[in-house]
């Protein structure tokens, strides 16, 4: 019976014959479907092969699973983050000496340039004074983490001067839902003393996940050497990319709002090789200063030197911008020993990389296509940009126009009709 079925299958197989995948599978099923020792042994071998593959996969991702459990136990969950954001939104508006200048929130996904933008903003409000803080969290507290990790709401944490600065990894929807900012897609009025201003920084998400591969496991006392890069990037993509892209869409639509400063990580990176009198540093300075800080050429030059990558990554300053303080608290919450050998990976300022586009030369084509497909699914559909480079080019045209009008003393909207026609939606 099996032979006759096999012959009929072979005769009707066409050009592919018995070697096509579908017909080969059918032949195996016919062979193992009847009684007899041969079919039973084949079925047992197939089950053993499947079980071995399952166990091998579980062994491969075992440390990734351990990392996931530690993240769930060691960091505030979504409910705690929403509660912290709601507490911040309900903060008193006129507590002396606050209430004179709007608070400034630096909103960026982890490893997206938030530390860099925060340091620039802090040095601007300090008028270029030498850094004296021990950890950056001491002067720029986290809105959604400070209350749970340090036991004090972020807005009650003392700060050296005005305006107050805060960090968050929350998306636009998270901020709107908590009441920190007002929703809508049209620009609102200039922010008042009780409102918030937001510096938003976006970075290529493939670069973000690649950078997280070295930093995030060490934060939870796991050595990244034990985790496969593509497994980590794939999981990070599932948890991070869609939320981050939707936040990018929402912030892009509000980029002309006077209470929002929209930046790309690449702009901060390019500023190091150009004059600080133009570009991201000046825009941050004017945004933070709000007319209350005299932005001089000398101040910009001083802050540019203090916030350069070489200065922040030096032995003198590296600890200031590391995740050591959070790693110690997380290890205590988890009840695991703190590993000093992982401290080199806890730097928020990379000493070995950090260049835009670096990750796409390391991860495989399949992983890159996963990121690109998500981009097309969300950003291309909503805004029309086929790639991040196209979006950056459109933004660069806007910024160039605004800089040209600023130099010419134009008090208009900042984007003329010719340049507006180049920007989609």
């Amino acid at each position: 019976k099996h032979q006759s079925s096999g012959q009929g299958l072979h005769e009707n197989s066409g050009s592919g014959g018995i070697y096509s995948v579908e017909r080969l599978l059918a032949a195996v099923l016919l062979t193992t479907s009847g009684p007899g020792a041969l079919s039973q042994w084949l079925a047992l071998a197939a089950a053993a092969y499947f079980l071995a593959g399952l166990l091998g996969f579980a062994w491969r991702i075992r440390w990734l699973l351990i990392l996931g459990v530690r993240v769930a136990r060691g960091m505030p969950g979504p409910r705690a983050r929403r509660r912290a954001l709601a507490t911040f939104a309900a903060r008193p508006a006129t507590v002396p000496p606050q209430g004179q200048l709007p608070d400034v929130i630096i909103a960026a996904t982890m490893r997206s340039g938030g530390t860099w933008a925060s340091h620039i903003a802090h040095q601007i409000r300090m008028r270029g004074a030498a850094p004296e803080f021990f950890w950056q969290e001491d002067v720029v507290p986290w809105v959604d983490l400070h209350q749970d990790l340090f036991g004090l709401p972020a807005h009650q944490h003392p700060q050296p001067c005005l305006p107050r600065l805060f960090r968050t990894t929350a998306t636009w929807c998270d901020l709107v839902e908590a009441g920190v900012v007002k929703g809508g897609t049209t620009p609102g009025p200039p922010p008042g003393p009780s409102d918030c201003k937001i510096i938003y920084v976006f970075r290529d998400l493939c670069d973000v996940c690649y950078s997280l591969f070295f930093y995030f496991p060490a934060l939870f006392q796991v050595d990244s050497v034990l985790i496969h890069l593509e497994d980590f990037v794939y999981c990070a993509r599932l948890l991070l990319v869609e939320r981050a892209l939707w936040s990018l869409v929402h912030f892009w639509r509000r980029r002309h709002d006077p209470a929002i400063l929209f930046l790309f990580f690449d702009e901060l990176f390019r500023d190091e090789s150009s004059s600080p009198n133009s570009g991201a540093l000046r825009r941050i300075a004017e945004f933070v200063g709000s007319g209350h800080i005299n932005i001089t050429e000398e101040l910009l030059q001083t802050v540019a030197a203090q916030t350069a990558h070489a200065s922040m990554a030096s032995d003198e300053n590296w600890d200031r911008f590391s995740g050591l303080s959070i790693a110690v608290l997380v290890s205590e919450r988890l009840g695991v020993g703190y590993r000093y050998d992982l401290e080199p990976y806890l730097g928020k300022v990379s000493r070995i990389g950090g260049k835009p586009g670096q990750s796409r030369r390391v991860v495989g084509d399949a992983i890159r296509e996963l990121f690109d497909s998500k981009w097309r699914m969300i950003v291309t559909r909503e805004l029309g940009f086929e790639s991040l480079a196209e979006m950056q080019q459109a933004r660069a045209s806007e910024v160039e126009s605004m800089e040209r009008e600023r130099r010419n003393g134009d008090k208009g909207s900042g984007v003329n009709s010719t340049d507006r026609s180049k920007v989609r939606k």
Side-chain angles (χ1 to χ4, degrees), residues 6-272:
Q7 290 173 357
L9 182 65
H10 179 64
E11 291 171 359
N12 298 325
S13 60
S15 59
I18 195 68
Y19 299 102
S20 66
V21 177
E22 296 84 358
R23 300 188 184 281
L24 181 59
L25 178 60
V28 172
L29 291 174
L30 287 172
T31 304
T32 59
S33 60
L38 179 60
S39 61
Q40 294 177 6
W41 277 106
L42 287 174
L44 183 62
Y49 180 79
F50 174 77
L51 182 60
L54 185 62
L55 292 175
F57 177 74
W59 181 257
R60 167 178 170 147
I61 66 170
R62 68 194 187 281
W63 281 104
L64 192 59
L65 295 175
I66 293 173
L67 176 61
V69 172
R70 290 188 176 183
V71 171
R73 291 179 52 213
M75 292 294 281
R79 183 177 300 177
R81 290 170 181 260
R82 287 194 296 267
R83 184 171 59 249
L85 288 171
T87 301
F88 181 82
R91 70 195 184 283
T94 56
V95 177
Q98 282 73 30
Q100 303 171 21
L101 290 175
D103 295 332
V104 179
I105 298 177
I106 294 88
T109 305
M110 293 181 67
R111 316 299 290 182
S112 294
T115 298
W116 204 348
S118 298
H119 189 41
I120 294 175
H122 173 68
Q123 291 306 118
I124 289 295
R125 71 171 176 176
M126 296 296 293
R127 279 74 171 177
E132 296 181 353
F133 55 88
F134 198 73
W135 311 109
Q136 192 180 50
E137 292 81 6
D138 295 338
V139 292
V140 188
W142 289 82
V143 173
D144 42 358
L145 299 178
H146 206 85
Q147 183 172 349
D148 197 71
L149 290 179
F150 298 94
L152 184 70
H155 67 275
Q156 295 181 9
H157 185 88
Q159 297 205 23
C161 65
L162 295 178
R164 297 188 301 180
L165 301 177
F166 301 93
R167 284 283 306 276
T168 184
T169 57
T171 64
W172 171 262
C173 292
D174 295 334
L175 296 173
V176 171
E177 182 182 354
V180 177
V181 296
K182 299 177 181 178
T185 58
T186 58
S194 61
D195 298 326
C196 283
K197 300 170 67 175
I198 298 179
I199 299 175
Y200 173 73
V201 187
F202 181 83
R203 185 184 184 185
D204 184 351
L205 293 176
C206 193
D207 289 344
V208 170
C209 292
Y210 179 66
S211 182
L212 278 174
F213 172 71
F214 299 98
Y215 174 79
F216 208 62
L219 194 63
F220 295 91
Q221 310 305 303
V222 175
D223 196 338
S224 60
V225 175
L226 304 173
I227 301 175
H228 289 260
L229 172 62
E230 294 199 351
D231 293 341
F232 179 88
V233 172
Y234 184 82
C235 292
R237 166 193 167 273
L238 293 177
L239 299 173
L240 170 70
V241 171
E242 188 167 339
R243 283 169 45 86
L245 289 179
W246 276 113
S247 189
L248 170 65
V249 169
H250 293 308
F251 273 108
W252 176 264
R253 288 172 174 165
R254 293 291 297 266
R255 67 192 183 281
H256 298 304
D257 193 311
I260 293 177
L261 176 60
F262 186 101
L263 294 171
F264 288 109
F265 174 81
D266 300 50
E267 296 180 77
L268 297 174
F269 194 83
R270 285 196 300 268
D271 258 15
E272 286 214 299

Side-chain angles (χ1 to χ4, degrees), residues 300-352:
L300 292 176
Q301 294 286 354
T302 301
V303 174
Q306 293 170 336
T307 59
H309 181 272
S311 175
M312 295 175 66
S314 65
D315 293 338
E316 179 184 359
N317 294 322
W318 186 84
D319 285 351
R320 303 180 195 270
F321 310 105
S322 68
L324 297 177
S325 60
I326 297 179
V328 171
L329 293 174
V330 168
S331 66
E332 292 177 354
R333 288 167 64 101
L334 294 174
V336 298
Y338 180 78
R339 294 184 56 178
Y340 291 93
D341 60 313
L342 297 180
E343 285 189 353
Y345 298 102
L346 289 171
K348 297 179 183 179
V349 181
S350 175
R351 288 175 167 175
I352 59 175

